[in-house]
PDB file of all heavy atoms in Angstrom:
ATOM      1  N   VAL E 176     -47.348 -25.738 -51.977  1.00 94.00           N
ATOM      2  CA  VAL E 176     -46.787 -24.382 -52.024  1.00 94.00           C
ATOM      3  C   VAL E 176     -45.260 -24.448 -51.981  1.00 94.00           C
ATOM      4  O   VAL E 176     -44.579 -23.745 -52.740  1.00 94.00           O
ATOM      5  CB  VAL E 176     -47.319 -23.527 -50.856  1.00 94.00           C
ATOM      6  CG1 VAL E 176     -46.791 -22.111 -50.976  1.00 94.00           C
ATOM      7  CG2 VAL E 176     -48.824 -23.525 -50.850  1.00 94.00           C
ATOM      8  N   ASN E 179     -44.186 -25.549 -55.398  1.00 94.00           N
ATOM      9  CA  ASN E 179     -44.289 -24.452 -56.368  1.00 94.00           C
ATOM     10  C   ASN E 179     -43.204 -23.421 -56.144  1.00 94.00           C
ATOM     11  O   ASN E 179     -42.624 -22.891 -57.090  1.00 94.00           O
ATOM     12  CB  ASN E 179     -45.660 -23.771 -56.267  1.00 94.00           C
ATOM     13  CG  ASN E 179     -46.720 -24.538 -57.030  1.00 94.00           C
ATOM     14  OD1 ASN E 179     -46.396 -25.338 -57.905  1.00 94.00           O
ATOM     15  ND2 ASN E 179     -47.972 -24.307 -56.699  1.00 94.00           N
ATOM     16  N   ASN E 180     -42.924 -23.145 -54.874  1.00 95.00           N
ATOM     17  CA  ASN E 180     -41.888 -22.172 -54.552  1.00 95.00           C
ATOM     18  C   ASN E 180     -40.543 -22.644 -55.086  1.00 95.00           C
ATOM     19  O   ASN E 180     -39.830 -21.877 -55.747  1.00 95.00           O
ATOM     20  CB  ASN E 180     -41.827 -21.956 -53.038  1.00 95.00           C
ATOM     21  CG  ASN E 180     -40.971 -20.776 -52.666  1.00 95.00           C
ATOM     22  OD1 ASN E 180     -40.872 -19.813 -53.429  1.00 95.00           O
ATOM     23  ND2 ASN E 180     -40.323 -20.833 -51.531  1.00 95.00           N
ATOM     24  N   THR E 182     -40.027 -24.690 -57.467  1.00 94.00           N
ATOM     25  CA  THR E 182     -40.085 -24.618 -58.931  1.00 94.00           C
ATOM     26  C   THR E 182     -39.799 -23.202 -59.413  1.00 94.00           C
ATOM     27  O   THR E 182     -39.026 -22.982 -60.347  1.00 94.00           O
ATOM     28  CB  THR E 182     -41.477 -25.053 -59.425  1.00 94.00           C
ATOM     29  OG1 THR E 182     -41.772 -26.326 -58.875  1.00 94.00           O
ATOM     30  CG2 THR E 182     -41.517 -25.128 -60.931  1.00 94.00           C
ATOM     31  N   LEU E 184     -38.119 -21.021 -57.926  1.00 94.00           N
ATOM     32  CA  LEU E 184     -36.715 -20.673 -57.662  1.00 94.00           C
ATOM     33  C   LEU E 184     -35.784 -21.380 -58.642  1.00 94.00           C
ATOM     34  O   LEU E 184     -34.568 -21.280 -58.528  1.00 94.00           O
ATOM     35  CB  LEU E 184     -36.334 -21.053 -56.227  1.00 94.00           C
ATOM     36  CG  LEU E 184     -37.035 -20.268 -55.119  1.00 94.00           C
ATOM     37  CD1 LEU E 184     -36.705 -20.849 -53.760  1.00 94.00           C
ATOM     38  CD2 LEU E 184     -36.652 -18.804 -55.176  1.00 94.00           C
ATOM     39  N   GLY E 185     -36.359 -22.115 -59.578  1.00 92.00           N
ATOM     40  CA  GLY E 185     -35.564 -22.665 -60.669  1.00 92.00           C
ATOM     41  C   GLY E 185     -35.219 -24.137 -60.541  1.00 92.00           C
ATOM     42  O   GLY E 185     -34.371 -24.625 -61.276  1.00 92.00           O
ATOM     43  N   GLN E 190     -34.071 -31.887 -59.289  1.00 93.00           N
ATOM     44  CA  GLN E 190     -33.734 -31.118 -58.078  1.00 93.00           C
ATOM     45  C   GLN E 190     -34.895 -31.114 -57.098  1.00 93.00           C
ATOM     46  O   GLN E 190     -34.688 -31.132 -55.892  1.00 93.00           O
ATOM     47  CB  GLN E 190     -33.331 -29.700 -58.461  1.00 93.00           C
ATOM     48  CG  GLN E 190     -31.928 -29.645 -59.042  1.00 93.00           C
ATOM     49  CD  GLN E 190     -31.584 -28.291 -59.600  1.00 93.00           C
ATOM     50  OE1 GLN E 190     -32.445 -27.593 -60.132  1.00 93.00           O
ATOM     51  NE2 GLN E 190     -30.324 -27.920 -59.489  1.00 93.00           N
ATOM     52  N   PHE E 194     -34.135 -32.084 -53.458  1.00 92.00           N
ATOM     53  CA  PHE E 194     -34.148 -31.020 -52.455  1.00 92.00           C
ATOM     54  C   PHE E 194     -35.492 -30.850 -51.750  1.00 92.00           C
ATOM     55  O   PHE E 194     -35.569 -30.163 -50.751  1.00 92.00           O
ATOM     56  CB  PHE E 194     -33.728 -29.689 -53.082  1.00 92.00           C
ATOM     57  CG  PHE E 194     -32.283 -29.663 -53.491  1.00 92.00           C
ATOM     58  CD1 PHE E 194     -31.925 -29.790 -54.818  1.00 92.00           C
ATOM     59  CD2 PHE E 194     -31.287 -29.526 -52.536  1.00 92.00           C
ATOM     60  CE1 PHE E 194     -30.590 -29.787 -55.200  1.00 92.00           C
ATOM     61  CE2 PHE E 194     -29.958 -29.512 -52.906  1.00 92.00           C
ATOM     62  CZ  PHE E 194     -29.602 -29.643 -54.230  1.00 92.00           C
ATOM     63  N   VAL E 195     -36.551 -31.411 -52.303  1.00 93.00           N
ATOM     64  CA  VAL E 195     -37.849 -31.274 -51.636  1.00 93.00           C
ATOM     65  C   VAL E 195     -38.416 -32.634 -51.226  1.00 93.00           C
ATOM     66  O   VAL E 195     -38.643 -32.885 -50.042  1.00 93.00           O
ATOM     67  CB  VAL E 195     -38.870 -30.516 -52.512  1.00 93.00           C
ATOM     68  CG1 VAL E 195     -40.183 -30.358 -51.762  1.00 93.00           C
ATOM     69  CG2 VAL E 195     -38.318 -29.155 -52.912  1.00 93.00           C
ATOM     70  N   PRO E 198     -35.814 -34.830 -48.682  1.00 88.00           N
ATOM     71  CA  PRO E 198     -35.757 -34.404 -47.266  1.00 88.00           C
ATOM     72  C   PRO E 198     -37.097 -34.547 -46.564  1.00 88.00           C
ATOM     73  O   PRO E 198     -37.164 -34.930 -45.391  1.00 88.00           O
ATOM     74  CB  PRO E 198     -35.344 -32.937 -47.328  1.00 88.00           C
ATOM     75  CG  PRO E 198     -35.172 -32.576 -48.737  1.00 88.00           C
ATOM     76  CD  PRO E 198     -35.381 -33.763 -49.592  1.00 88.00           C
ATOM     77  N   VAL E 274     -33.625 -31.255 -35.876  1.00 75.00           N
ATOM     78  CA  VAL E 274     -33.665 -29.947 -35.213  1.00 75.00           C
ATOM     79  C   VAL E 274     -34.622 -28.989 -35.897  1.00 75.00           C
ATOM     80  O   VAL E 274     -35.135 -28.066 -35.280  1.00 75.00           O
ATOM     81  CB  VAL E 274     -32.283 -29.274 -35.175  1.00 75.00           C
ATOM     82  CG1 VAL E 274     -31.488 -29.764 -33.991  1.00 75.00           C
ATOM     83  CG2 VAL E 274     -31.533 -29.475 -36.456  1.00 75.00           C
ATOM     84  N   TRP E 275     -34.850 -29.206 -37.192  1.00 77.00           N
ATOM     85  CA  TRP E 275     -35.710 -28.256 -37.918  1.00 77.00           C
ATOM     86  C   TRP E 275     -37.190 -28.461 -37.626  1.00 77.00           C
ATOM     87  O   TRP E 275     -38.010 -27.654 -38.009  1.00 77.00           O
ATOM     88  CB  TRP E 275     -35.449 -28.362 -39.419  1.00 77.00           C
ATOM     89  CG  TRP E 275     -35.729 -29.715 -39.982  1.00 77.00           C
ATOM     90  CD1 TRP E 275     -34.832 -30.730 -40.153  1.00 77.00           C
ATOM     91  CD2 TRP E 275     -36.978 -30.200 -40.459  1.00 77.00           C
ATOM     92  NE1 TRP E 275     -35.450 -31.819 -40.685  1.00 77.00           N
ATOM     93  CE2 TRP E 275     -36.765 -31.523 -40.897  1.00 77.00           C
ATOM     94  CE3 TRP E 275     -38.254 -29.654 -40.574  1.00 77.00           C
ATOM     95  CZ2 TRP E 275     -37.782 -32.303 -41.429  1.00 77.00           C
ATOM     96  CZ3 TRP E 275     -39.270 -30.437 -41.102  1.00 77.00           C
ATOM     97  CH2 TRP E 275     -39.015 -31.747 -41.515  1.00 77.00           C
ATOM     98  N   ARG E 276     -37.503 -29.541 -36.916  1.00 76.00           N
ATOM     99  CA  ARG E 276     -38.913 -29.852 -36.664  1.00 76.00           C
ATOM    100  C   ARG E 276     -39.474 -29.023 -35.523  1.00 76.00           C
ATOM    101  O   ARG E 276     -38.899 -28.993 -34.449  1.00 76.00           O
ATOM    102  CB  ARG E 276     -39.043 -31.309 -36.272  1.00 76.00           C
ATOM    103  CG  ARG E 276     -39.161 -32.190 -37.438  1.00 76.00           C
ATOM    104  CD  ARG E 276     -40.388 -33.011 -37.252  1.00 76.00           C
ATOM    105  NE  ARG E 276     -40.736 -33.632 -38.485  1.00 76.00           N
ATOM    106  CZ  ARG E 276     -41.456 -34.744 -38.539  1.00 76.00           C
ATOM    107  NH1 ARG E 276     -41.850 -35.318 -37.431  1.00 76.00           N
ATOM    108  NH2 ARG E 276     -41.787 -35.241 -39.679  1.00 76.00           N
ATOM    109  N   PRO E 277     -40.618 -28.404 -35.730  1.00 71.00           N
ATOM    110  CA  PRO E 277     -41.213 -27.699 -34.602  1.00 71.00           C
ATOM    111  C   PRO E 277     -41.679 -28.682 -33.532  1.00 71.00           C
ATOM    112  O   PRO E 277     -42.305 -29.680 -33.834  1.00 71.00           O
ATOM    113  CB  PRO E 277     -42.408 -26.977 -35.227  1.00 71.00           C
ATOM    114  CG  PRO E 277     -42.637 -27.608 -36.537  1.00 71.00           C
ATOM    115  CD  PRO E 277     -41.388 -28.299 -36.959  1.00 71.00           C
ATOM    116  N   GLU E 281     -41.205 -25.043 -26.607  1.00 55.00           N
ATOM    117  CA  GLU E 281     -39.759 -25.135 -26.689  1.00 55.00           C
ATOM    118  C   GLU E 281     -39.076 -24.098 -25.807  1.00 55.00           C
ATOM    119  O   GLU E 281     -37.884 -23.904 -25.910  1.00 55.00           O
ATOM    120  CB  GLU E 281     -39.330 -24.912 -28.133  1.00 55.00           C
ATOM    121  CG  GLU E 281     -38.531 -26.052 -28.674  1.00 55.00           C
ATOM    122  CD  GLU E 281     -38.174 -25.801 -30.115  1.00 55.00           C
ATOM    123  OE1 GLU E 281     -38.997 -25.244 -30.851  1.00 55.00           O
ATOM    124  OE2 GLU E 281     -37.051 -26.123 -30.471  1.00 55.00           O
TER     125      GLU E 281
ATOM    126  N   ARG W 105     -39.455 -18.262 -66.121  1.00 91.00           N
ATOM    127  CA  ARG W 105     -38.108 -18.213 -65.537  1.00 91.00           C
ATOM    128  C   ARG W 105     -37.648 -16.792 -65.213  1.00 91.00           C
ATOM    129  O   ARG W 105     -36.614 -16.612 -64.582  1.00 91.00           O
ATOM    130  CB  ARG W 105     -37.104 -18.860 -66.486  1.00 91.00           C
ATOM    131  CG  ARG W 105     -37.278 -20.347 -66.597  1.00 91.00           C
ATOM    132  CD  ARG W 105     -36.457 -21.075 -65.536  1.00 91.00           C
ATOM    133  NE  ARG W 105     -36.926 -22.443 -65.367  1.00 91.00           N
ATOM    134  CZ  ARG W 105     -37.339 -22.955 -64.223  1.00 91.00           C
ATOM    135  NH1 ARG W 105     -37.355 -22.226 -63.127  1.00 91.00           N
ATOM    136  NH2 ARG W 105     -37.749 -24.196 -64.154  1.00 91.00           N
ATOM    137  N   PHE W 111     -45.307 -16.201 -52.198  1.00 92.00           N
ATOM    138  CA  PHE W 111     -46.596 -16.877 -52.056  1.00 92.00           C
ATOM    139  C   PHE W 111     -47.421 -16.323 -50.896  1.00 92.00           C
ATOM    140  O   PHE W 111     -46.895 -15.740 -49.947  1.00 92.00           O
ATOM    141  CB  PHE W 111     -46.388 -18.383 -51.875  1.00 92.00           C
ATOM    142  CG  PHE W 111     -45.960 -19.061 -53.134  1.00 92.00           C
ATOM    143  CD1 PHE W 111     -44.624 -19.064 -53.515  1.00 92.00           C
ATOM    144  CD2 PHE W 111     -46.883 -19.672 -53.954  1.00 92.00           C
ATOM    145  CE1 PHE W 111     -44.224 -19.680 -54.687  1.00 92.00           C
ATOM    146  CE2 PHE W 111     -46.498 -20.293 -55.122  1.00 92.00           C
ATOM    147  CZ  PHE W 111     -45.158 -20.294 -55.495  1.00 92.00           C
ATOM    148  N   SER W 113     -49.202 -18.184 -48.808  1.00 89.00           N
ATOM    149  CA  SER W 113     -49.019 -18.994 -47.590  1.00 89.00           C
ATOM    150  C   SER W 113     -47.552 -19.389 -47.434  1.00 89.00           C
ATOM    151  O   SER W 113     -46.724 -19.081 -48.274  1.00 89.00           O
ATOM    152  CB  SER W 113     -49.905 -20.230 -47.663  1.00 89.00           C
ATOM    153  OG  SER W 113     -49.839 -20.807 -48.945  1.00 89.00           O
ATOM    154  N   GLU W 114     -47.256 -20.088 -46.342  1.00 88.00           N
ATOM    155  CA  GLU W 114     -45.883 -20.484 -46.023  1.00 88.00           C
ATOM    156  C   GLU W 114     -45.260 -21.288 -47.164  1.00 88.00           C
ATOM    157  O   GLU W 114     -45.821 -22.276 -47.600  1.00 88.00           O
ATOM    158  CB  GLU W 114     -45.885 -21.360 -44.764  1.00 88.00           C
ATOM    159  CG  GLU W 114     -46.403 -20.668 -43.532  1.00 88.00           C
ATOM    160  CD  GLU W 114     -45.448 -19.616 -43.011  1.00 88.00           C
ATOM    161  OE1 GLU W 114     -44.260 -19.665 -43.371  1.00 88.00           O
ATOM    162  OE2 GLU W 114     -45.905 -18.745 -42.249  1.00 88.00           O
ATOM    163  N   ALA W 115     -44.095 -20.880 -47.617  1.00 92.00           N
ATOM    164  CA  ALA W 115     -43.482 -21.558 -48.759  1.00 92.00           C
ATOM    165  C   ALA W 115     -42.028 -21.937 -48.515  1.00 92.00           C
ATOM    166  O   ALA W 115     -41.388 -22.502 -49.383  1.00 92.00           O
ATOM    167  CB  ALA W 115     -43.587 -20.681 -50.002  1.00 92.00           C
ATOM    168  N   PRO W 118     -39.078 -26.229 -44.610  1.00 92.00           N
ATOM    169  CA  PRO W 118     -38.909 -26.231 -43.150  1.00 92.00           C
ATOM    170  C   PRO W 118     -37.634 -26.931 -42.692  1.00 92.00           C
ATOM    171  O   PRO W 118     -37.178 -26.690 -41.581  1.00 92.00           O
ATOM    172  CB  PRO W 118     -40.149 -26.971 -42.649  1.00 92.00           C
ATOM    173  CG  PRO W 118     -40.708 -27.685 -43.817  1.00 92.00           C
ATOM    174  CD  PRO W 118     -40.287 -26.937 -45.035  1.00 92.00           C
ATOM    175  N   TRP W 119     -37.058 -27.794 -43.548  1.00 91.00           N
ATOM    176  CA  TRP W 119     -35.850 -28.531 -43.140  1.00 91.00           C
ATOM    177  C   TRP W 119     -34.573 -27.775 -43.478  1.00 91.00           C
ATOM    178  O   TRP W 119     -33.491 -28.275 -43.288  1.00 91.00           O
ATOM    179  CB  TRP W 119     -35.830 -29.902 -43.810  1.00 91.00           C
ATOM    180  CG  TRP W 119     -36.056 -29.831 -45.276  1.00 91.00           C
ATOM    181  CD1 TRP W 119     -35.114 -29.583 -46.244  1.00 91.00           C
ATOM    182  CD2 TRP W 119     -37.295 -29.971 -45.956  1.00 91.00           C
ATOM    183  NE1 TRP W 119     -35.705 -29.557 -47.474  1.00 91.00           N
ATOM    184  CE2 TRP W 119     -37.045 -29.808 -47.330  1.00 91.00           C
ATOM    185  CE3 TRP W 119     -38.605 -30.232 -45.534  1.00 91.00           C
ATOM    186  CZ2 TRP W 119     -38.051 -29.879 -48.290  1.00 91.00           C
ATOM    187  CZ3 TRP W 119     -39.590 -30.301 -46.490  1.00 91.00           C
ATOM    188  CH2 TRP W 119     -39.312 -30.127 -47.843  1.00 91.00           C
ATOM    189  N   ARG W 120     -34.719 -26.565 -44.011  1.00 92.00           N
ATOM    190  CA  ARG W 120     -33.532 -25.768 -44.322  1.00 92.00           C
ATOM    191  C   ARG W 120     -33.506 -24.546 -43.428  1.00 92.00           C
ATOM    192  O   ARG W 120     -34.535 -23.939 -43.167  1.00 92.00           O
ATOM    193  CB  ARG W 120     -33.593 -25.299 -45.772  1.00 92.00           C
ATOM    194  CG  ARG W 120     -33.259 -26.386 -46.747  1.00 92.00           C
ATOM    195  CD  ARG W 120     -33.248 -25.824 -48.150  1.00 92.00           C
ATOM    196  NE  ARG W 120     -32.466 -26.687 -48.992  1.00 92.00           N
ATOM    197  CZ  ARG W 120     -31.503 -26.280 -49.809  1.00 92.00           C
ATOM    198  NH1 ARG W 120     -31.231 -25.008 -49.928  1.00 92.00           N
ATOM    199  NH2 ARG W 120     -30.831 -27.143 -50.518  1.00 92.00           N
ATOM    200  N   GLY W 129     -32.189 -20.987 -54.438  1.00 93.00           N
ATOM    201  CA  GLY W 129     -32.243 -20.718 -55.877  1.00 93.00           C
ATOM    202  C   GLY W 129     -30.858 -20.745 -56.507  1.00 93.00           C
ATOM    203  O   GLY W 129     -30.670 -21.262 -57.611  1.00 93.00           O
ATOM    204  N   GLU W 131     -28.336 -22.430 -55.376  1.00 93.00           N
ATOM    205  CA  GLU W 131     -27.910 -23.829 -55.378  1.00 93.00           C
ATOM    206  C   GLU W 131     -28.511 -24.561 -56.577  1.00 93.00           C
ATOM    207  O   GLU W 131     -27.833 -25.352 -57.232  1.00 93.00           O
ATOM    208  CB  GLU W 131     -28.348 -24.472 -54.066  1.00 93.00           C
ATOM    209  CG  GLU W 131     -27.633 -25.772 -53.768  1.00 93.00           C
ATOM    210  CD  GLU W 131     -28.000 -26.316 -52.395  1.00 93.00           C
ATOM    211  OE1 GLU W 131     -28.466 -25.532 -51.540  1.00 93.00           O
ATOM    212  OE2 GLU W 131     -27.837 -27.532 -52.199  1.00 93.00           O
ATOM    213  N   PHE W 132     -29.803 -24.295 -56.861  1.00 93.00           N
ATOM    214  CA  PHE W 132     -30.440 -24.930 -58.019  1.00 93.00           C
ATOM    215  C   PHE W 132     -29.712 -24.553 -59.303  1.00 93.00           C
ATOM    216  O   PHE W 132     -29.607 -25.334 -60.232  1.00 93.00           O
ATOM    217  CB  PHE W 132     -31.911 -24.525 -58.120  1.00 93.00           C
ATOM    218  CG  PHE W 132     -32.753 -24.988 -56.955  1.00 93.00           C
ATOM    219  CD1 PHE W 132     -33.899 -24.286 -56.597  1.00 93.00           C
ATOM    220  CD2 PHE W 132     -32.404 -26.120 -56.234  1.00 93.00           C
ATOM    221  CE1 PHE W 132     -34.677 -24.711 -55.525  1.00 93.00           C
ATOM    222  CE2 PHE W 132     -33.174 -26.547 -55.163  1.00 93.00           C
ATOM    223  CZ  PHE W 132     -34.312 -25.835 -54.805  1.00 93.00           C
ATOM    224  N   TYR W 160     -34.153 -22.126 -38.042  1.00 92.00           N
ATOM    225  CA  TYR W 160     -35.072 -22.831 -38.930  1.00 92.00           C
ATOM    226  C   TYR W 160     -36.387 -22.058 -38.994  1.00 92.00           C
ATOM    227  O   TYR W 160     -36.713 -21.317 -38.066  1.00 92.00           O
ATOM    228  CB  TYR W 160     -35.294 -24.257 -38.432  1.00 92.00           C
ATOM    229  CG  TYR W 160     -34.084 -25.118 -38.685  1.00 92.00           C
ATOM    230  CD1 TYR W 160     -33.087 -25.247 -37.740  1.00 92.00           C
ATOM    231  CD2 TYR W 160     -33.923 -25.746 -39.921  1.00 92.00           C
ATOM    232  CE1 TYR W 160     -31.956 -26.009 -38.000  1.00 92.00           C
ATOM    233  CE2 TYR W 160     -32.807 -26.502 -40.188  1.00 92.00           C
ATOM    234  CZ  TYR W 160     -31.817 -26.631 -39.216  1.00 92.00           C
ATOM    235  OH  TYR W 160     -30.709 -27.363 -39.484  1.00 92.00           O
ATOM    236  N   HIS W 162     -39.417 -22.593 -38.337  1.00 91.00           N
ATOM    237  CA  HIS W 162     -40.345 -22.605 -37.196  1.00 91.00           C
ATOM    238  C   HIS W 162     -39.817 -21.811 -36.012  1.00 91.00           C
ATOM    239  O   HIS W 162     -40.541 -21.545 -35.065  1.00 91.00           O
ATOM    240  CB  HIS W 162     -40.678 -24.041 -36.786  1.00 91.00           C
ATOM    241  CG  HIS W 162     -39.623 -24.706 -35.945  1.00 91.00           C
ATOM    242  ND1 HIS W 162     -38.559 -25.370 -36.490  1.00 91.00           N
ATOM    243  CD2 HIS W 162     -39.462 -24.780 -34.605  1.00 91.00           C
ATOM    244  CE1 HIS W 162     -37.797 -25.835 -35.525  1.00 91.00           C
ATOM    245  NE2 HIS W 162     -38.315 -25.503 -34.367  1.00 91.00           N
ATOM    246  N   GLN W 176     -35.219 -14.662 -50.430  1.00 94.00           N
ATOM    247  CA  GLN W 176     -35.095 -15.855 -51.260  1.00 94.00           C
ATOM    248  C   GLN W 176     -35.468 -15.548 -52.712  1.00 94.00           C
ATOM    249  O   GLN W 176     -34.842 -16.043 -53.640  1.00 94.00           O
ATOM    250  CB  GLN W 176     -36.050 -16.913 -50.696  1.00 94.00           C
ATOM    251  CG  GLN W 176     -35.966 -18.272 -51.310  1.00 94.00           C
ATOM    252  CD  GLN W 176     -37.038 -19.187 -50.746  1.00 94.00           C
ATOM    253  OE1 GLN W 176     -38.214 -18.815 -50.658  1.00 94.00           O
ATOM    254  NE2 GLN W 176     -36.643 -20.373 -50.343  1.00 94.00           N
TER     255      GLN W 176
END
Side-chain angles (χ1 to χ4, degrees):
Chain E
V176 183
N179 278 340
N180 191 30
T182 307
L184 294 173
Q190 284 172 326
F194 292 104
V195 182
V274 275
W275 60 266
R276 274 234 165 156
E281 237 178 323
Chain W
R105 290 271 162 237
F111 287 83
S113 44
E114 298 289 341
W119 50 84
R120 284 184 159 229
E131 197 175 339
F132 296 153
Y160 287 91
H162 80 273
Q176 187 185 47

